[in-house]
Structures are given as structure tokens and as C-alpha cells.
Amino acid sequence: MSYGEIIELEGIRFRLIDDSETILKIRRLHKRYNEGKSNEVHALRGIDLDVKKGDMMAIMGPSGCGKTTLLNMIGHLDYNSGGEIIIDYLDTNKLSDSEMTAFRRDNIGFIFQLFNLFPFLTAVENVETPLLLKDIPSGVAREQAKMLLRDLGMGDRLYHYPLELSGGQQQRVAIARALINNPAIILGDEPTGDLDSSTSAEVMKLFRRINQMNQQTFILVTHNRWIAEKCDYIIHMVDGKISHVENGPFMED
Ligand SMILES: Nc1ncnc2c1ncn2[C@@H]1O[C@H](COP(=O)(O)OP(=O)(O)OP(=O)(O)O)[C@@H](O)[C@H]1O
Ligand SMILES: [Mg+2]
């Protein structure tokens, strides 16, 4: 299953890409951890959100307000406790686990705090893996991975293993791996968190370039106001809910 393809579910045909604007629609989304137990946490308390194709959106809010939980729900890394998530008209609650895995692999890029790089693969091997999983010829995959890593200033670290790289360099490998597949939606949890300010600025420029070139949608959680202001608008969360939305464009610095 990939972006652009037509699939059939319960007799209804869906196209995974659409010219209409909304790429992500969330309705009454709830998440409870340890549901029904004494240590239950009601982490998302009714989120409604529409994200348009090509939006670059930031999510801000105090620690524990549910930002990572929301990204995990959008990325379908964990089950929700109620509500709807519609990605390109596809009600993802209706997908089987294996359909979901394929959908996630082909349509969503993750840049998370724990980079989860494969320790026994070099930087370039880590980045080309998603392409090889899609049966792209290895020579082509290798060239694309190298190009993207060079773009991220990692040209002289292509054959290093994750443990031979600094935290910021590992992060750039993780960013490259998330972007290599051209996913429709890119989710970042503090994607520039461990980078110095000039590298963060480079990464944000790269995100914007990709965003403008391919209409890819970015959803970035950040505590950093400067990063958030590089986005089109900011969703503010408090206590499992969206408190308000701040629309850009923000001041250039
Ligand atoms: N796996 C889990 N099991 C139980 N509770 C959890 C789990 N993950 C998160 N929580 C709780 O859910 C709430 C929301 O957590 P979440 O990680 O989404 O916050 P956050 O906004 O990302 O915070 P931070 O800015 O510190 O990363 C918190 O109260 C947290 O303790
Ligand atoms: Mg978090």
C-alpha cells in the first residue's frame, strides 16, 4: 500500500492521496494509559484537529500535557482509547494491524527523541533501509541516502556506526532516515533537540525546502519558540487538550 494507490476496504474504495486540502482529520480523540486501573492517566481528552496538506505545524505545551502521546496516536504507534483519525479519507481505525504497518511505513516519517538507529548498520545503511524495504534497487537507494546525508552535513560520516557518532550526528541520520521515503506526513518530537542552534537552523531550512518542494506535511513538537515560529502555525496544548492556535506568519529574525 502506498501513497497514491487505490485500496478497497469493506467494499469501499479509497484513494490514499487526494487533491482536497485536508490530509489529517482528528475528532474527539482520547487516550488513556492503564485504562481502568488505579494508575490510569487520561493523557488526551478530546482532541479535534484538521491539518492541511503541506502545512508545517508546531505543537507546544508544558511537559506532560500530551504532545508525544498525540504524535504517537497520529503515527499509529499505539492504540487510541476513542475518537477518529482520518488520514487522506482513510479511517485508520478500520485498518488491520498489517495494513497499518504498511500504511505507516509508506506514508509517515518519524523523527523521535530516541532515534532507534540500527546499531550494526552504518549511517548510510540506516538511511537506505526504508528504500530497500520497498524493493528499490540497492544502487539507487545508496545514492539517494548519500545525497540526503550530504545535504544534512554528514557527507564525511557516511560509513560510521551510530555509536561512533555524536548525539547530534545520530539525530541527523535519524532525520535522513525519516525523510528518505518522501512520506506524506513527517512527525518530529523535538527533532532538533540535541542540535546546536546553527545546525537546528539548517535542519529547519531543509524541512521547509522539502515542505515547499513536495507539499509534505510536518508536525513538530518543540519546546523551542524559535523552532515553532519557523512553522506556519502553533497548536498549544494544556492538560490533554488543545487550548489555542496561534497563526503565523511569525516575525523573521
Ligand atoms: N506509557 C505510558 N504509561 C502511562 N502513562 C503515560 C505513558 N506515556 C505517557 N504517560 C503520561 O501521559 C501524560 C502525557 O505524556 P506525554 O509523554 O504525551 O507528555 P509530553 O507533552 O510529551 O511531555 P514532555 O514535554 O515532557 O515530553 C503524562 O502525564 C505522562 O505521565
Ligand atoms: Mg514528549
Side-chain angles (χ1 to χ4, degrees), residues 24-30 46-50 70 73-74 76 80-87 89-94:
L24 171 69
K25 193 173 182 178
I26 296 178
R27 292 292 177 270
R28 304 173 306 279
L29 183 67
H30 287 262
I47 300 279
D48 289 297
L49 181 63
D50 286 284
L70 179 57
M73 298 295 109
I74 296 171
H76 294 77
N80 64 55
S81 314
E84 283 171 15
I85 304 177
I86 316 267
I87 299 180
Y89 289 119
L90 189 68
D91 181 349
T92 52
N93 281 336
K94 296 207 169 89

Side-chain angles (χ1 to χ4, degrees), residues 67-68 113 189 221:
K67 304 179 297 295
T68 297
Q113 276 159 325
D189 202 344
V221 166

Side-chain angles (χ1 to χ4, degrees), residues 124 128 131-132 135-147 150 159 180:
V124 74
E128 72 192 5
L131 296 180
L132 298 177
D135 292 331
I136 288 177
S138 59
V140 177
R142 177 59 57 101
E143 270 320 299
Q144 288 188 11
K146 279 186 185 170
M147 224 155 56
R150 287 195 190 110
Y159 303 105
I180 192 89

Side-chain angles (χ1 to χ4, degrees), residues 115-171:
F115 319 128
N116 295 322
L117 295 175
F118 302 115
F120 303 115
L121 297 182
T122 61
V124 74
E125 287 167 346
N126 263 284
V127 175
E128 72 192 5
T129 300
L131 296 180
L132 298 177
L133 287 173
K134 283 173 74 174
D135 292 331
I136 288 177
S138 59
V140 177
R142 177 59 57 101
E143 270 320 299
Q144 288 188 11
K146 279 186 185 170
M147 224 155 56
L148 190 51
L149 280 166
R150 287 195 190 110
D151 252 358
L152 283 159
M154 290 288 291
D156 56 350
R157 291 289 183 277
L158 298 176
Y159 303 105
H160 284 236
Y161 291 92
L163 283 175
E164 301 169 341
L165 298 170
S166 72
Q169 290 168 338
Q170 291 181 39
Q171 196 158 12

Side-chain angles (χ1 to χ4, degrees), residues 33-34 41 43 61-70 113 189 221 223:
Y33 292 105
N34 305 317
V41 176
S63 177
C65 72
K67 304 179 297 295
T68 297
T69 303
L70 179 57
Q113 276 159 325
D189 202 344
V221 166
H223 285 109

